[in-house]
Amino acid sequence: MANSKYEYVKAFERENHLLPDCYILVRVDGKGFHKFSQEYGFEKPNDLGALMVMNQTATRLVEAFPDILMAYGDLDEYSFLLRKECALYERREMKLITLFGSMMSTHYIMEWNKQFPEKPIRQSKLPIFDARAVVYPLLKHVRDYFSWRQVDCHINNLYNTVFWALVSKGNMTPKDAENRLIGTLASDKNEILYSQFQINYNNEPEIFKKGTVLIREYQDHTSTDHHQQQQLSKTQLEKEKKKRNKAKIVMYHIDLIKDEFWDSRPFLC
Amino acid sequence: MANSKYEYVKAFERENHLLPDCYILVRVDGKGFHKFSQEYGFEKPNDLGALMVMNQTATRLVEAFPDILMAYGDLDEYSFLLRKECALYERREMKLITLFGSMMSTHYIMEWNKQFPEKPIRQSKLPIFDARAVVYPLLKHVRDYFSWRQVDCHINNLYNTVFWALVSKGNMTPKDAENRLIGTLASDKNEILYSQFQINYNNEPEIFKKGTVLIREYQDHTSTDHHQQQQLSKTQLEKEKKKRNKAKIVMYHIDLIKDEFWDSRPFLC
Amino acid sequence: MANSKYEYVKAFERENHLLPDCYILVRVDGKGFHKFSQEYGFEKPNDLGALMVMNQTATRLVEAFPDILMAYGDLDEYSFLLRKECALYERREMKLITLFGSMMSTHYIMEWNKQFPEKPIRQSKLPIFDARAVVYPLLKHVRDYFSWRQVDCHINNLYNTVFWALVSKGNMTPKDAENRLIGTLASDKNEILYSQFQINYNNEPEIFKKGTVLIREYQDHTSTDHHQQQQLSKTQLEKEKKKRNKAKIVMYHIDLIKDEFWDSRPFLC
Amino acid sequence: MANSKYEYVKAFERENHLLPDCYILVRVDGKGFHKFSQEYGFEKPNDLGALMVMNQTATRLVEAFPDILMAYGDLDEYSFLLRKECALYERREMKLITLFGSMMSTHYIMEWNKQFPEKPIRQSKLPIFDARAVVYPLLKHVRDYFSWRQVDCHINNLYNTVFWALVSKGNMTPKDAENRLIGTLASDKNEILYSQFQINYNNEPEIFKKGTVLIREYQDHTSTDHHQQQQLSKTQLEKEKKKRNKAKIVMYHIDLIKDEFWDSRPFLC
């Protein structure tokens, strides 16, 4: 058929296969969520319902891809850790990230409408997520990645907590509150909260301070590398896959930075 | 703040800036739409309502990005042509394709629910789109790209039209219909349609045979290249941008392969 | 054989096929040629013999690859323009650039030893070249690329001419000469040359002011694109190739920026 | 200066920074060395002098880059292992591979002319090397990489040994020798050597059977990762660097596949 005459245009396509035997980290990030949160009237500094929408949405993705070992999220972003042996779409980067972005945004609509039936998502302001993939050679990098995100969550949340206390309880304008906080350290912010508003930051809910971790908890996992994988019999691979499929997905709001989290979960390596 | 200690993990991120001064073609493609069409009971061989959902969805994207010159779609795929000077997200490939995938899938839900209020999208079967970007140096490649897609549309539609005639009017099983069509040429398929079912394929609706083109029609466009762009005054650039923003988006079901389409639309180059 | 057990390591290799139907520009660049020129006692500001070594070396590469349309060089760098249809090593970037670097440096040794039999290349200071490839969609980009390099040649040569006049004829220290030139315009430099040293820069040799162009001159070339190439008969392709092989390689020291050069050489497009 | 008008062409350049904290393997490979070996009259199946040229050449590169931990070579190829923390040229792939290719080929000329003063390299047949870089996350991959190359060396050498015995001692034509060996296993080849030519393959020189390993032997190395590197004081880094510079480069023809080689050299990890 005459199609062949035009098919040469396919030769311009490029693909990137993510490096084998490395962890894959896919991070999705809400586009313009500051405006999104205004449009749908998020409570400040934190809207627990909106956070639950994010967490439920991310849970749907963890369920859909047994290769996801764990996920961590906060505000309008979520990071998914895929195991080193992941062969999803032959590790094609474009395929992986566009599907994660698309699934995140469609499930978000559904979870939102369940959580907030009184204010469903409107087409004039949709939840749009971009996505990117990063490969990490070592578990150490993965741990530092999640530490990076959790420290970031803490910094943002402390700031937002003080900022909104100054605005809503201290009757400052947003501009004045912003200026008040320029150059302040964490200790200063804790002090403002305590002395001006009798808020002990330590008593704030863990979900706000720590963000949310989703873990595919399974016990009798045996780690295998790329090469061993190739040598497992089909039966063994099927069995391993079934175990991953059946593993329960558990939600925590806990510290990811200290050793304890990782030491007690050898199946994450 | 201690964050710096972990921030080195950002150095593992990679980005690809699409080659300057080339056309960018972004193609979105439905994931598993065969099952999707069964789940939501699409009419066969073509469901006009579902096609309109695709076309309306794509129109929302063309509206959102004035850099889109035109788009072409059929079944569960759509291709968007971005002008050579497009500087959206600094031409970062990952950003562009994940946003196109995410916007396509969320608008699809909204357009579907408007079109089919009696059977709204269910979370158990969501419209997911992957996306890819390809750069083309010359208008010739762009024309051949769209010709490739339109020939593909024709081949698929002729096949589907005969197949479903054999099944629903000819009372063949899908398996038998498939076997009947193995090795048949276009002329054979036309003949089956005409002699067995009194269907003249030429009289089938253009939207099925040709697919759908969306064009940002504007008249007094003056083409400028990368270098000239840099030399246009800010006022001129703003004016050019406004013209693009105001241009009407028009839908056609016409031939993209012959010269006429392109000769009469110099603003597409 | 047991090799298969280890062969999986090949899957970590990555290749980049340069975008089809674009011009390929390969630029080689001497590594540490400032020290190289001191080690082998180059005349200042320009060593005609060393320039001829570069030009002869580049000529060997143009002879070796009929896909090279032209080349331009100056000091320790050379740029080779490969035609858009070039299929050398399937346009694999790594292969192309490493071979250009390797061939440039080995031929340089040979050409140097012919030019300067009294001071052959010593292993303690070898001529090493790095190389890179860039793809350009349009002839306009190619023209601007060569203009960029030729303007750069002019700027460097004017500076070096004044600098060495100040040092060798004006008895300034290099440091003083450098300070004298800070902030001076081209017109100032011309003035210094003329008033202090009675040198009219315009009368300097063209090879220093303009650099060197190598052109594969052939007359009855007919341009064909990627697609037409595929449709040429084998006989025609062979004929075309032979013409390229037989075309004479001519050396010029002329202006590449004005239209005349390009208008009179349609085979360069 | 007017240069700015053309400098936009630089925006078309692309660079690839090799993934941090991974081993870098650079492999150089002779271009057309079959013809090269005929042109310079290599002894068959192995030319010890030519091998020594390769080994000396590779030693020059190991000396030049203290980041090279070890190298392995055979016939016309050599693989260089760079430590994970290597920051040479900011890990820019193009820069690294073109320099390796260029240095390999120029030093080869020099080493050859020392080894064979009676038949120096001629410009009509130069030693040209291509080069590529591969990143490996784990030491396990690095070990398997070298095992892959050493098994390959063994396979090639056994074949060549029998082939040339059949031709030069057995008076077969090359074509007949080739046919004789089709489908033969290693044991068959050993048997032919022994029964027909009284050659015990096990007694062949180790340099032919095992290839050549170059190791930068230093004892009191302490492994540090990317992150620790950043925290070492400048003094410590300088000290570490000096140790690498002073380490002796030792040549072996030994087994790389078994654990012993690696277990006794912890500084290779």
Side-chain angles (χ1 to χ4, degrees):
Chain A
M1 171 70 211
N3 215 359
S4 59
K5 180 176 151 195
Y6 302 121
E7 259 181 319
Y8 78 92
V9 296
K10 269 175 74 72
F12 290 73
E13 296 186 4
R14 292 289 170 269
E15 189 48 83
N16 181 28
H17 291 81
L18 296 168
L19 199 67
D21 241 1
C22 287
Y23 297 95
I24 300 174
L25 221 306
V26 179
R27 180 166 79 247
V28 296
D29 204 354
K31 182 174 173 282
F33 257 57
H34 185 68
K35 278 198 179 167
F36 186 91
S37 72
Q38 293 178 324
E39 179 89 7
Y40 291 102
F42 280 34
E43 280 176 35
K44 295 295 180 180
N46 286 293
D47 188 304
L48 193 57
L51 277 183
M52 287 317 292
V53 170
M54 278 297 282
N55 293 339
Q56 287 305 320
T57 301
T59 304
R60 296 296 86 76
L61 270 73
V62 180
E63 287 166 355
F65 298 114
D67 278 325
I68 299 178
L69 294 171
M70 65 175 275
Y72 172 77
D74 167 45
L75 298 175
D76 62 340
E77 74 163 53
Y78 239 97
S79 300
F80 300 90
L81 173 64
L82 281 76
R83 62 195 194 102
K84 296 163 80 161
E85 302 81 10
C86 171
L88 216 52
Y89 303 104
E90 306 146 62
R91 298 172 83 89
R92 281 186 286 154
E93 184 173 25
M94 313 305 162
K95 201 84 171 175
L96 276 173
I97 62 175
T98 54
L99 290 177
F100 269 76
S102 179
M103 290 180 69
M104 192 70 195
S105 51
T106 49
H107 276 293
Y108 190 99
I109 293 178
M110 295 299 171
E111 294 297 336
W112 178 279
N113 290 349
K114 282 193 277 184
Q115 180 77 23
F116 299 112
E118 74 286 4
K119 49 172 180 176
I121 294 293
R122 296 181 296 276
Q123 192 166 9
S124 57
K125 184 58 81 182
L126 292 166
I128 304 298
F129 289 87
D130 68 31
R132 82 190 62 205
V134 195
V135 295
Y136 288 112
L138 302 177
L139 184 62
K140 176 200 165 358
H141 304 131
V142 168
R143 282 192 55 170
D144 288 347
Y145 176 86
F146 284 116
S147 298
W148 174 49
R149 299 323 301 145
Q150 195 166 51
V151 169
D152 203 61
C153 166
H154 166 67
I155 294 172
N156 289 333
N157 190 58
L158 179 54
Y159 183 94
N160 289 336
T161 306
V162 193
F163 177 86
W164 286 104
L166 290 171
V167 169
S168 44
K169 298 181 185 155
N171 292 319
M172 286 176 91
T173 66
K175 192 69 207 157
D176 286 345
E178 209 182 308
N179 286 332
R180 172 70 187 86
L181 293 175
I182 287 173
T184 57
L185 303 175
S187 54
D188 301 325
K189 296 195 186 76
N190 276 309
E191 179 59 25
I192 294 173
L193 279 178
Y194 194 73
S195 60
Q196 266 187 264
F197 306 105
Q198 290 75 53
I199 296 172
N200 185 339
Y201 184 73
N202 290 333
N203 297 338
E204 290 291 292
E206 292 299 301
I207 187 175
F208 300 156
K209 288 185 302 183
K210 294 278 194 294
T212 299
V213 198
L214 302 173
I215 303 170
R216 185 181 301 280
E217 298 270 19
Y218 63 118
Q219 309 308 331
D220 50 352
H221 163 86
T222 43
S223 171
T224 49
D225 65 23
H226 184 81
H227 177 53
Q228 289 170 317
Q229 284 279 324
Q230 295 184 316
Q231 297 191 318
L232 285 182
S233 69
K234 267 206 165 170
T235 334
Q236 284 169 306
L237 277 172
E238 278 308 308
K239 234 166 127 187
E240 186 75 18
K241 205 176 153 183
K242 266 187 200 147
K243 268 200 288 176
R244 275 202 309 277
N245 280 329
K246 281 194 304 191
K248 242 194 334 191
I249 298 159
V250 190
M251 189 181 297
Y252 297 102
H253 315 291
I254 54 177
D255 184 276
L256 295 177
I257 300 174
K258 299 203 195 85
D259 292 339
E260 200 206 328
F261 175 84
W262 302 91
D263 289 348
S264 58
R265 290 174 180 83
F267 53 86
L268 287 179
C269 73
Chain B
M1 170 71 212
N3 215 358
S4 61
K5 180 176 151 195
Y6 302 121
E7 258 182 319
Y8 78 92
V9 297
K10 268 176 74 73
F12 290 73
E13 296 185 5
R14 292 290 171 268
E15 188 48 83
N16 181 28
H17 291 81
L18 296 167
L19 198 67
D21 241 2
C22 286
Y23 297 95
I24 300 174
L25 222 308
V26 179
R27 179 166 79 248
V28 297
D29 204 355
K31 182 173 173 283
F33 257 57
H34 185 67
K35 278 199 178 167
F36 186 90
S37 71
Q38 293 178 323
E39 179 89 8
Y40 292 102
F42 280 34
E43 280 176 33
K44 294 296 180 179
N46 287 293
D47 188 304
L48 192 58
L51 278 184
M52 287 318 291
V53 169
M54 279 296 282
N55 292 339
Q56 287 304 320
T57 301
T59 304
R60 297 296 86 74
L61 271 75
V62 179
E63 286 166 356
F65 298 114
D67 278 325
I68 299 178
L69 295 171
M70 66 175 274
Y72 172 77
D74 167 46
L75 298 175
D76 62 340
E77 75 163 53
Y78 240 98
S79 300
F80 299 90
L81 173 65
L82 282 76
R83 62 197 193 102
K84 297 163 80 163
E85 301 81 12
C86 172
L88 217 52
Y89 303 105
E90 304 147 61
R91 298 174 82 89
R92 281 186 285 154
E93 185 174 24
M94 314 304 162
K95 201 85 170 173
L96 276 173
I97 62 175
T98 54
L99 290 177
F100 268 76
S102 180
M103 290 180 70
M104 192 70 196
S105 51
T106 49
H107 278 293
Y108 190 100
I109 293 179
M110 295 300 170
E111 294 297 335
W112 177 278
N113 289 350
K114 282 194 278 184
Q115 180 78 24
F116 299 112
E118 75 286 5
K119 49 172 180 178
I121 293 293
R122 298 182 295 275
Q123 192 166 9
S124 56
K125 185 58 82 183
L126 292 167
I128 305 298
F129 288 88
D130 68 31
R132 85 191 59 205
V134 194
V135 295
Y136 288 112
L138 302 178
L139 183 62
K140 177 201 164 358
H141 304 132
V142 168
R143 282 192 54 170
D144 288 347
Y145 176 86
F146 284 116
S147 297
W148 175 48
R149 299 323 302 144
Q150 194 167 50
V151 170
D152 204 60
C153 165
H154 166 69
I155 295 172
N156 288 332
N157 189 59
L158 178 56
Y159 183 93
N160 289 336
T161 305
V162 193
F163 177 88
W164 286 103
L166 290 170
V167 169
S168 43
K169 298 180 184 156
N171 293 317
M172 287 176 90
T173 65
K175 192 68 205 156
D176 286 345
E178 211 183 306
N179 287 331
R180 173 69 186 85
L181 292 176
I182 288 173
T184 55
L185 304 176
S187 54
D188 300 326
K189 297 196 185 75
N190 275 308
E191 179 59 26
I192 295 174
L193 279 177
Y194 193 72
S195 61
Q196 266 187 265
F197 306 105
Q198 288 74 54
I199 295 172
N200 184 340
Y201 183 73
N202 289 332
N203 297 338
E204 290 290 292
E206 293 298 302
I207 187 175
F208 299 158
K209 290 184 301 182
K210 295 276 195 294
T212 299
V213 198
L214 301 173
I215 303 170
R216 187 180 299 280
E217 297 272 18
Y218 62 116
Q219 307 309 330
D220 50 352
H221 163 86
T222 43
S223 170
T224 50
D225 64 22
H226 185 79
H227 177 51
Q228 289 170 319
Q229 285 278 323
Q230 295 184 315
Q231 297 191 318
L232 285 182
S233 70
K234 267 205 165 172
T235 334
Q236 285 169 306
L237 277 173
E238 276 309 308
K239 233 164 127 188
E240 185 75 19
K241 205 176 153 182
K242 264 186 201 149
K243 267 201 288 178
R244 276 201 309 277
N245 280 329
K246 283 193 304 191
K248 243 193 333 192
I249 298 159
V250 190
M251 188 182 298
Y252 297 101
H253 314 292
I254 53 177
D255 184 277
L256 295 177
I257 302 174
K258 300 203 194 85
D259 292 339
E260 199 206 328
F261 176 83
W262 302 93
D263 289 349
S264 59
R265 290 173 182 84
F267 54 86
L268 287 179
C269 73
Chain C
M1 171 71 214
N3 215 358
S4 60
K5 181 176 152 195
Y6 302 121
E7 259 183 317
Y8 78 91
V9 297
K10 268 176 74 72
F12 290 73
E13 296 185 5
R14 292 289 170 269
E15 189 48 82
N16 181 29
H17 291 80
L18 296 168
L19 198 66
D21 241 3
C22 286
Y23 296 95
I24 300 174
L25 221 308
V26 179
R27 179 166 78 248
V28 297
D29 203 355
K31 181 174 173 282
F33 257 57
H34 185 67
K35 277 198 178 166
F36 186 90
S37 71
Q38 293 178 325
E39 180 88 6
Y40 292 102
F42 280 34
E43 281 176 33
K44 295 295 181 179
N46 286 294
D47 189 302
L48 193 57
L51 278 184
M52 286 319 291
V53 170
M54 278 296 282
N55 292 340
Q56 287 304 319
T57 301
T59 304
R60 297 296 87 74
L61 270 75
V62 180
E63 286 166 356
F65 298 113
D67 278 325
I68 299 178
L69 294 171
M70 65 175 274
Y72 172 77
D74 167 45
L75 299 174
D76 63 339
E77 74 163 53
Y78 240 97
S79 300
F80 299 90
L81 173 64
L82 281 75
R83 61 195 195 103
K84 297 163 79 162
E85 302 80 11
C86 172
L88 217 50
Y89 303 104
E90 304 147 61
R91 299 173 82 89
R92 282 186 286 155
E93 184 173 24
M94 313 304 163
K95 203 83 171 174
L96 276 173
I97 62 175
T98 55
L99 290 177
F100 268 76
S102 179
M103 290 180 69
M104 192 71 195
S105 50
T106 49
H107 277 293
Y108 190 99
I109 293 178
M110 296 299 170
E111 295 297 336
W112 178 278
N113 290 350
K114 282 193 277 184
Q115 180 79 23
F116 300 112
E118 75 286 4
K119 48 171 180 179
I121 293 293
R122 297 182 294 276
Q123 192 166 10
S124 56
K125 185 57 82 182
L126 292 166
I128 305 298
F129 289 87
D130 68 29
R132 84 191 59 206
V134 194
V135 295
Y136 288 112
L138 302 178
L139 183 62
K140 176 201 167 354
H141 304 130
V142 169
R143 283 191 55 170
D144 288 347
Y145 175 86
F146 284 115
S147 297
W148 175 49
R149 299 323 301 145
Q150 195 167 48
V151 169
D152 203 61
C153 166
H154 166 68
I155 294 172
N156 289 332
N157 190 58
L158 178 55
Y159 183 94
N160 289 337
T161 306
V162 194
F163 176 87
W164 286 103
L166 290 169
V167 169
S168 44
K169 300 181 182 156
N171 293 317
M172 287 175 90
T173 67
K175 191 69 206 155
D176 287 344
E178 209 183 308
N179 287 332
R180 173 68 186 86
L181 292 177
I182 286 173
T184 55
L185 304 176
S187 54
D188 301 326
K189 297 194 184 76
N190 275 310
E191 180 59 26
I192 294 173
L193 280 176
Y194 194 72
S195 60
Q196 266 188 262
F197 306 104
Q198 288 74 55
I199 295 172
N200 184 338
Y201 184 73
N202 289 332
N203 297 338
E204 289 291 292
E206 293 298 301
I207 186 174
F208 300 157
K209 290 184 301 182
K210 296 277 195 291
T212 300
V213 198
L214 301 173
I215 303 170
R216 186 180 298 279
E217 299 271 17
Y218 62 116
Q219 308 309 331
D220 50 351
H221 163 86
T222 42
S223 170
T224 49
D225 65 22
H226 185 79
H227 176 53
Q228 290 169 318
Q229 284 278 324
Q230 295 185 315
Q231 297 191 317
L232 285 181
S233 70
K234 268 205 164 173
T235 333
Q236 284 169 307
L237 278 173
E238 277 309 307
K239 235 165 127 186
E240 186 75 19
K241 206 177 154 183
K242 265 185 202 151
K243 268 200 287 177
R244 275 200 309 277
N245 280 329
K246 284 193 303 191
K248 245 194 328 192
I249 298 159
V250 189
M251 187 182 298
Y252 297 102
H253 315 292
I254 53 177
D255 184 277
L256 294 177
I257 301 174
K258 300 204 194 85
D259 292 338
E260 199 207 327
F261 176 84
W262 302 93
D263 289 349
S264 58
R265 288 171 183 84
F267 53 87
L268 287 179
C269 71
Chain D
M1 172 70 212
N3 216 358
S4 59
K5 180 176 151 194
Y6 302 121
E7 260 182 316
Y8 78 92
V9 296
K10 269 176 74 72
F12 290 72
E13 295 185 5
R14 293 288 171 271
E15 189 49 81
N16 182 29
H17 291 81
L18 295 168
L19 199 67
D21 242 1
C22 286
Y23 297 95
I24 299 174
L25 221 307
V26 179
R27 180 166 78 248
V28 297
D29 203 354
K31 181 174 173 282
F33 258 56
H34 184 67
K35 278 197 178 167
F36 186 89
S37 72
Q38 293 178 324
E39 180 89 7
Y40 291 102
F42 280 34
E43 279 176 35
K44 296 295 180 181
N46 287 293
D47 188 302
L48 192 57
L51 278 183
M52 288 317 291
V53 170
M54 278 297 284
N55 293 339
Q56 288 304 320
T57 301
T59 303
R60 296 297 86 75
L61 270 75
V62 180
E63 288 166 355
F65 298 114
D67 278 325
I68 299 179
L69 295 171
M70 66 175 275
Y72 172 76
D74 167 45
L75 298 175
D76 62 339
E77 74 163 54
Y78 240 98
S79 300
F80 300 90
L81 173 64
L82 282 75
R83 63 196 194 101
K84 296 163 79 161
E85 302 81 10
C86 171
L88 217 51
Y89 303 105
E90 305 146 60
R91 298 172 83 88
R92 281 186 286 154
E93 184 174 25
M94 313 305 162
K95 201 84 171 174
L96 276 172
I97 61 174
T98 55
L99 290 177
F100 269 75
S102 179
M103 290 180 69
M104 192 71 195
S105 51
T106 49
H107 277 293
Y108 190 99
I109 293 178
M110 296 299 171
E111 294 297 336
W112 177 278
N113 289 350
K114 282 193 277 185
Q115 180 77 24
F116 299 111
E118 74 286 4
K119 50 171 180 177
I121 293 293
R122 296 182 296 276
Q123 192 166 9
S124 57
K125 184 59 80 182
L126 292 166
I128 305 298
F129 289 87
D130 67 31
R132 82 191 62 204
V134 195
V135 296
Y136 289 112
L138 302 177
L139 184 61
K140 176 201 168 351
H141 303 131
V142 168
R143 283 191 54 170
D144 288 347
Y145 175 85
F146 284 115
S147 297
W148 175 48
R149 299 323 302 145
Q150 196 166 50
V151 169
D152 204 61
C153 166
H154 165 68
I155 294 172
N156 289 333
N157 190 58
L158 179 54
Y159 183 95
N160 289 336
T161 306
V162 193
F163 177 87
W164 287 103
L166 291 171
V167 169
S168 45
K169 299 180 183 157
N171 293 317
M172 287 176 90
T173 66
K175 192 68 207 158
D176 286 345
E178 210 183 307
N179 287 331
R180 172 70 186 87
L181 293 175
I182 287 173
T184 56
L185 303 175
S187 54
D188 301 325
K189 296 195 185 76
N190 276 309
E191 180 58 25
I192 295 174
L193 280 176
Y194 194 72
S195 60
Q196 267 187 262
F197 307 105
Q198 290 73 54
I199 296 171
N200 184 340
Y201 184 73
N202 289 333
N203 297 337
E204 289 292 292
E206 292 299 302
I207 187 175
F208 300 156
K209 288 186 302 182
K210 295 277 194 293
T212 300
V213 199
L214 302 172
I215 303 169
R216 186 180 300 279
E217 297 272 16
Y218 62 118
Q219 308 309 330
D220 50 351
H221 163 85
T222 43
S223 172
T224 50
D225 63 24
H226 184 80
H227 176 52
Q228 289 170 318
Q229 284 278 323
Q230 295 185 315
Q231 297 192 317
L232 285 181
S233 70
K234 268 206 165 172
T235 334
Q236 284 170 305
L237 278 173
E238 278 307 309
K239 234 165 127 186
E240 185 74 20
K241 205 177 154 183
K242 265 186 202 149
K243 266 200 288 177
R244 274 201 310 277
N245 280 329
K246 282 194 305 190
K248 242 194 332 190
I249 298 159
V250 190
M251 189 181 298
Y252 297 102
H253 315 290
I254 54 177
D255 183 278
L256 294 177
I257 301 175
K258 300 205 193 83
D259 292 339
E260 199 206 329
F261 175 85
W262 302 92
D263 289 348
S264 59
R265 290 174 181 83
F267 54 87
L268 287 179
C269 72

